[in-house]
Amino acid sequence: MTDRGTTDRGTTDRGTTDRGTTVLVTGGAGFIGSHVVEALVAAGRRVRVLDSLRADVHGTDPDLTVLETLGDAVDLHVGDVTGRHDVEAALDGCDVVVHLAAKVGLGVDFDDTEDYVHSNVTGTAVLLAATARRAVHRLVLASSMVVYGDGDYLDAQGRVVRPLPRSPADLRDGRFDPVGPGGEPLLPTLVGEESVLAPQNVYAATKLHQEHLAQAWARSTPGRAALLRFHNVYGPRMPMDTPYAGVASIFRSALERGEAPQVFEDGRQRRDLVHVRDVADAVVHAAGWTGTAEAGCARAFNVGSGVVHTVGELATALSGALGGPAPEVTGAFRLGDVRHVTASSARIGAELGWRARIAFDDGVAELAAAPLRRAVRT
């Protein structure tokens, strides 16, 4: 691994790889990013990584073992996607950009808003402007299922409807399932890429803003952008010991401490849990997307397993795999969480030839056995 730092790790040099052979992966030292880098290298691509190695994500001594094992196939630039100089240096010689760098999760409180917007929206704007200047015309954007908000439901007549927002009073009283405009019960169903986009929290709003910027970039350059709406990603190297982590890592951390996983609401929240290596494979497919991509095209693709599980099932499966205490269903809730959101991944299968391959039971067993990522110390 070549380390071309832009902080105290050194001075950034220009890359030497010929255009047409190198993929820039922002956030490539992170959970999903490290798997994406591995998959791209396995597919025969050279990779440049741009990662800020933020201390609140990586700690003060980042573990770069995964990137280091890939040797000269990976060129690491330590820099911030919000910094024009850092981005320009990292882009040199690249023909495809995979944009993963982002602040993730629901957030601790609304004070996180400025950091979310700066990291996710400003960072995307700086990156896209630089790709336009350098005539890099292929983008893979890591979006998220959170852009759908509450997802799609069916009423008694089988019509697709959006539910009323869940009120704090209903949540406190344990009425967790959304209802229709007349208070009628609804049946959750799969969301397709043409479903209504209605983000419910700051993180979700920034992910949708990223999509809008990518669409504008594609029309203006003209470029080709694959907007990958990842559903609930889990697997080895998940970030631990952080309030921004996903539910699978929170459960896994609790069990490692010998504690029962704390399941919010009633545990019946429906999710599509997709293994991180399947997600990395989807990125590789998207990076080579040409068949349906006209110049100026930005197209969204759900990336999910196609199998519905509940949050309670995930907690129970992890507890069983680790031989730990049974989950505790707490009835607690977070404003901004959605009740049910699960994906139809038919489009990415039909157009990119991708499908998830790792079964839920196998993926959970692997996560249970995987070493915990080093605790963050800042």
Side-chain angles (χ1 to χ4, degrees):
M1 176 185 68
T2 304
D3 186 349
R4 302 178 186 275
T6 58
T7 61
D8 58 357
R9 290 177 172 263
T11 302
T12 299
D13 297 325
R14 289 196 169 195
T16 58
T17 306
D18 291 339
R19 179 174 295 277
T21 62
T22 302
V23 180
L24 173 64
V25 180
T26 70
F31 163 45
I32 296 176
S34 64
H35 287 277
V36 167
V37 170
E38 284 182 318
L40 287 166
V41 170
R45 303 304 298 266
R46 288 187 56 83
V47 178
R48 179 162 304 129
V49 169
L50 176 64
D51 200 301
S52 66
L53 302 180
R54 281 177 57 147
D56 59 343
V57 176
H58 296 274
T60 55
D61 183 22
D63 184 355
L64 301 176
T65 304
V66 173
L67 301 186
E68 289 168 350
T69 60
L70 298 172
D72 291 341
V74 178
D75 179 14
L76 172 63
H77 285 227
V78 181
D80 199 314
V81 75
T82 65
R84 178 172 175 171
H85 173 74
D86 291 350
V87 171
E88 290 277 4
L91 269 172
D92 192 43
C94 296
D95 66 321
V96 181
V97 173
V98 174
H99 183 32
L100 302 172
K103 184 178 176 69
V104 301
L106 183 58
V108 175
D109 55 42
F110 205 75
D111 280 346
D112 284 336
T113 299
E114 184 177 358
D115 193 11
Y116 274 109
V117 172
H118 180 69
S119 298
N120 299 357
V121 178
T122 301
T124 301
V126 170
L127 176 67
L128 294 180
T131 63
R133 287 191 295 270
R134 288 181 169 267
V136 178
H137 290 154
R138 185 166 297 164
L139 170 73
V140 180
L141 172 71
S143 186
S144 171
M145 56 88 177
V146 297
V147 299
Y148 295 116
D150 286 315
D152 286 345
Y153 290 75
L154 301 177
D155 65 13
Q157 288 73 45
R159 297 172 299 196
V160 176
V161 297
R162 278 295 169 115
L164 294 174
R166 300 193 298 168
S167 71
D170 282 345
L171 293 170
R172 283 193 296 268
D173 290 341
R175 294 190 293 270
F176 300 120
D177 281 310
V179 297
E184 68 276 15
L186 301 173
L187 178 68
T189 189
L190 301 181
V191 293
E193 289 84 355
E194 302 306 320
S195 294
V196 174
L197 305 181
Q200 300 294 303
N201 55 61
V202 170
Y203 168 62
T206 64
K207 298 309 287 185
L208 183 54
H209 200 158
Q210 285 183 316
E211 288 198 14
H212 288 164
L213 290 172
Q215 290 164 355
W217 167 86
R219 288 191 296 268
S220 300
T221 47
R224 295 175 173 87
L227 316 177
L228 301 187
R229 293 173 180 163
F230 299 157
H231 282 248
N232 289 82
V233 185
Y234 74 100
R237 304 177 208 150
M238 291 195 78
M240 307 293 177
D241 301 308
T242 166
Y244 304 96
V247 66
S249 66
I250 291 172
F251 291 162
R252 173 73 171 81
S253 294
L255 288 161
E256 184 74 9
R257 297 190 299 268
E259 301 170 1
Q262 303 294 294
V263 180
F264 281 15
E265 300 187 16
D266 59 3
R268 296 176 184 170
Q269 306 95 305
R270 292 160 56 99
R271 296 291 186 268
D272 186 320
L273 297 152
V274 58
H275 194 277
V276 67
R277 285 199 302 277
D278 281 331
V279 168
D281 186 46
V283 171
V284 173
H285 278 69
W289 175 50
T290 57
T292 58
E294 297 179 357
C297 174
R299 190 145 174 83
F301 298 95
N302 285 331
V303 179
S305 69
V307 180
V308 175
H309 290 280
T310 68
V311 172
E313 288 171 348
L314 172 62
T316 298
L318 276 170
S319 294
L322 283 162
E328 295 178 0
V329 179
T330 66
F333 61 88
R334 297 189 304 179
L335 294 175
D337 273 345
V338 298
R339 175 62 171 172
H340 305 297
V341 58
T342 53
S344 167
S345 296
R347 176 184 287 180
I348 192 171
E351 297 186 14
L352 301 189
W354 174 89
R355 66 178 179 87
R357 298 180 182 278
I358 300 175
F360 175 76
D361 290 343
D362 295 336
V364 169
E366 182 186 12
L367 175 61
L372 290 177
R373 183 169 167 181
R374 184 186 302 165
V376 173
R377 298 286 183 264
T378 60

